[in-house]
Amino acid sequence: MTTMSNARRGLPLTSSRIEKIFPKLTPAQISRIAAHGHIRSVQSGEVLIEQGDKSVPFFVVTTGEVEIIRPCGARETLVTVHGSGEFTGEVNMLSGRRSLVRARAIKPCKVIELDHQQMLALVQTDAELSDILMRAFILRRVELISAGVGDIVLVGSAYSAGTLRIKEFLMRNGQPYSYMDLERNQDVQNLLDSFQISAGEIPVLICRGQIVLRNPTNQEIADCLGFNESIDQTHVRDLIIIGAGPSGLAAAVYGASEGLDVMVLETSSPGGQAGSSSRIENYLGFPTGISGQDLAGRAYVQAQKFGTDILIAKATRLICDSKPYVVELVSGARIPARTIVIATGAEYRRPPCKNLSRFEGAGVYYGATFVESQLCSGEEVIVVGGGNSAGQAAVFLAETTKRVHMLVRSAGLAESMSRYLIRRIEETATIVLWPYTEIVAIEGGDHLEFVRWHNNQTGQTEEHKIRHIFVMTGADPNTSWLDGCVALDKGFIKTGQDLSPDNLSAAGWPIMRQPYLLETSLPGVFAVGDVRGGSIKRVASAVGEGSIAISFVHKVLQE
Ligand SMILES: Cc1cc2nc3c(=O)[nH]c(=O)nc-3n(C[C@H](O)[C@H](O)[C@H](O)COP(=O)(O)OP(=O)(O)OC[C@H]3O[C@@H](n4cnc5c(N)ncnc54)[C@H](O)[C@@H]3O)c2cc1C
């Protein structure tokens, strides 16, 4: 057991904001909470919450003390002790996911108890308490993550792509975990031996000390951690949103806050492409920028606060020939809904180069705006790609950089680029075209430092000290799973006025009115964000579209 700093028993805190993490409620606030639940007497030693319990209740301690413990086999680590006026809980209080800790009375106590639904009703109706509780829940989860207080252990290696994938999945889902590195941790071999795992089977995830997963898929991890088990997958929802990037999360926040019964499906983790951006500088209201992970984390909690169910599962099919519509999941489960918002985004085509994702936002960029151009002013940069977006980027970057190296796999630009852009590139002395050329390796520390490229015709490989690569090789929309349900244009979903009479008659548009803004060729099915044809590929526009779609969802539900 650990007795730590900040004059508070329990784990040391990384944050100095102790009064925000463990606020003391006033008598007036406590009586407002009491109105939502009931008062309970608890014996000393009585367990209020067991580690692994689902949809745990929320407790306010009015007298006595409740300790929060992380059990690990026969050992217990004290996380904190809640005294009178304090309350239990962290973010899984909102999601209904399994408890990471045990809560036990260490003195005879009186507590106010609220079940999961009563807790949600409280944060949705009492703005002052919502502020206090949400902030404490989020800050407590941050502390749990930094202390590695979870019920899973990841055994992996810094050299394994599977380990990186799992770390990213856990991190972006805000899941605390302990990590043991095969190369650095001497205890690892003992652990592997006790579970009869050979070193070749890593990464290995040990879930709740019992289940051993060898190089699990994201879906297997989500299932093992019980991410989805408290969510009812059978009843007909008002709205299913597919994709939890900025557009899907915005639709969820607006939909749920306006009283709709909303479910979000997400293959991997909330945030989408934006979640991989180290700093978004052009999103309104964040003058010093915000990391994509922070923005996504906040939106995720906000959507859950309003009662959105978020299922970590891949949608594999839309069954659209009858109503209600049905979304089929990779598990085979089928979820019915009256309306659908497709927010599955797009995936930038990435050259097959190791380490590329490691430097995203730190030397590797998928857009060339003013913000990126400022990062590389006066330096040499690389633009990969031979299409119009690559041409525009090269011309734009040439204004502020020392030299732009354009790398194209083909013989030149003529086939893939508009004539006017080719002329401008030819006229700009600082743009150098490298035909038949591909990047084969990139290296660096926290930031990209070196790039090696290879000429497929001469067989020559060169290394250059270049810190910025602009990958402008296009994006593929995530629409293959829609299988003919809605009209597409080059894979992107057509909506509203972009749908021609031919599109509508081919789709058998069955009603008198024309499609609403953002509505696809299927009534009541909307598309928002990067997956939509003609969309502006930006966080703000994705958020805007997700929010706007909800007003049309209401109209369809009233039809
Ligand atoms: C590295 C990087 C940096 C960026 N920086 C900026 C920036 O600074 N400013 C800016 O304005 N824009 C930036 N962008 C662009 C911006 O992130 C996107 O325009 C925005 O994220 C689009 O949001 P979206 O919700 O439409 O789609 P996405 O963000 O692509 O999200 C789609 C989500 O759907 C999920 N999904 C896909 N298929 C399925 C399925 N079948 N079932 C369930 N879920 C599914 C995906 O896992 C993903 O989470 C950046 C993009 C990248 C890649």
Side-chain angles (χ1 to χ4, degrees), residues 262-285:
V262 181
M263 175 186 269
V264 176
L265 305 177
E266 167 55 51
T267 307
S268 163
S269 47
Q273 298 166 59
S276 65
S277 171
S278 58
R279 187 149 294 269
I280 298 168
E281 306 231 23
N282 56 356
Y283 190 57
L284 189 74

Side-chain angles (χ1 to χ4, degrees), residues 242-248 265-269 271-274 276-277 279-282 313-316 343-346 348 350 360-361 366 372 478 481 528-531 536-540 542:
I242 300 120
S247 64
L265 305 177
E266 167 55 51
T267 307
S268 163
S269 47
Q273 298 166 59
S276 65
S277 171
R279 187 149 294 269
I280 298 168
E281 306 231 23
N282 56 356
K314 182 175 179 135
T316 48
T344 46
Y348 286 91
R350 292 168 164 82
E360 277 170 4
Y366 297 93
E372 286 91 9
N478 292 316
W481 63 283
V528 295
D530 281 15
V531 76
I536 310 295
K537 310 288 186 274
R538 287 283 178 269
V539 174

Side-chain angles (χ1 to χ4, degrees), residues 459-477:
Q460 202 178 349
T461 301
E462 309 178 19
E463 182 167 290
H464 293 262
K465 201 170 175 204
I466 294 183
R467 292 169 15 91
H468 306 278
I469 303 175
F470 291 83
V471 180
M472 310 300 292
T473 44
D476 292 318

